[in-house]
Amino acid sequence: MNRYYWILGGFAALVALLAVGLNLNPRDVPSPLVGKPAPAFTLFQLAEPEKTLSPKDMQGKAWLFNVWASWCVSCRQEHPILVEFSKKVDVPLIGLNYKEVRGDGGFDMSKMPADEEKKLAWQRANQWLSQHGNPYTLTVMDLDGRVGIDYGVYGVPETYVIDKAGVIRMKHTGPITPEILAKKIMPLLAELNK
């Protein structure tokens, strides 16, 4: 009889855990980087390939760091929202073009020389922004995804809110929606820009 109660108790605990799990948003993945300095990088800019950008260049400004790629279906969903945001709000929006060629899956990278990958990545990213609009103050190119690894990127799109001191204040995984923008990102930016 005692064994029966243990099995019943274990089953009830499992059902309770599953019920709690079903109510969680799978996009709300806590980031260990929130509250810590944004990882350093120096990457080449898309519009001016001879120039670079580093988070140090953004010191003194609250800014958004948006990870995107032309092959990303969800990026198409959030892109019009970012375009409208950039027209209305005077906050730097920096794009991180993530694994433009390598992430596509349609290329055999073992047969593609590095200079060809770079040329193709720049061409595809520029074409995509020309076609869909460019909301970014500027975009930097993360061809091999190493900066994405440092930021804990595991899917595209992802967006980070970074404060004037260079500390990550928020990470949003998945496409930004008007609700996320209005209820989470804009109030945080207003607070950071006081």
Side-chain angles (χ1 to χ4, degrees), residues 43-49 51-53 122 138-141:
L43 291 174
F44 289 102
Q45 296 181 25
L46 175 63
E48 298 180 74
K51 291 186 178 180
T52 60
L53 177 84
W122 256 259
L138 61 92
T139 293
V140 291
M141 303 297 287

Side-chain angles (χ1 to χ4, degrees), residues 42-151:
T42 301
L43 291 174
F44 289 102
Q45 296 181 25
L46 175 63
E48 298 180 74
E50 69 284 352
K51 291 186 178 180
T52 60
L53 177 84
S54 167
K56 285 189 273 182
D57 299 328
M58 301 304 294
Q59 290 283 320
K61 302 172 189 165
W63 54 290
L64 293 179
F65 193 42
N66 177 255
V67 183
W68 69 279
S70 69
W71 48 262
C72 165
V73 176
S74 295
C75 296
R76 291 177 192 252
Q77 180 182 349
E78 84 169 356
H79 198 75
I81 296 161
L82 295 177
V83 170
E84 285 305 309
F85 169 83
S86 70
K87 290 177 184 175
K88 296 176 182 174
V89 181
D90 188 27
V91 171
L93 174 57
I94 306 300
L96 177 72
N97 182 268
Y98 178 71
K99 295 171 70 171
E100 180 60 47
V101 177
R102 294 177 191 206
D104 190 341
F107 298 94
D108 183 355
M109 296 311 299
S110 67
K111 296 180 180 175
M112 183 177 286
D115 59 334
E116 189 178 321
E117 177 188 5
K118 183 177 178 181
K119 181 180 175 184
L120 182 58
W122 256 259
Q123 178 186 15
R124 286 171 48 133
N126 273 313
Q127 182 179 6
W128 197 85
L129 290 175
S130 294
Q131 184 178 7
H132 298 283
N134 187 352
Y136 301 107
T137 306
L138 61 92
T139 293
V140 291
M141 303 297 287
D142 186 16
L143 296 180
D144 58 9
R146 288 187 182 151
V147 171
I149 290 170
D150 291 343
Y151 276 78

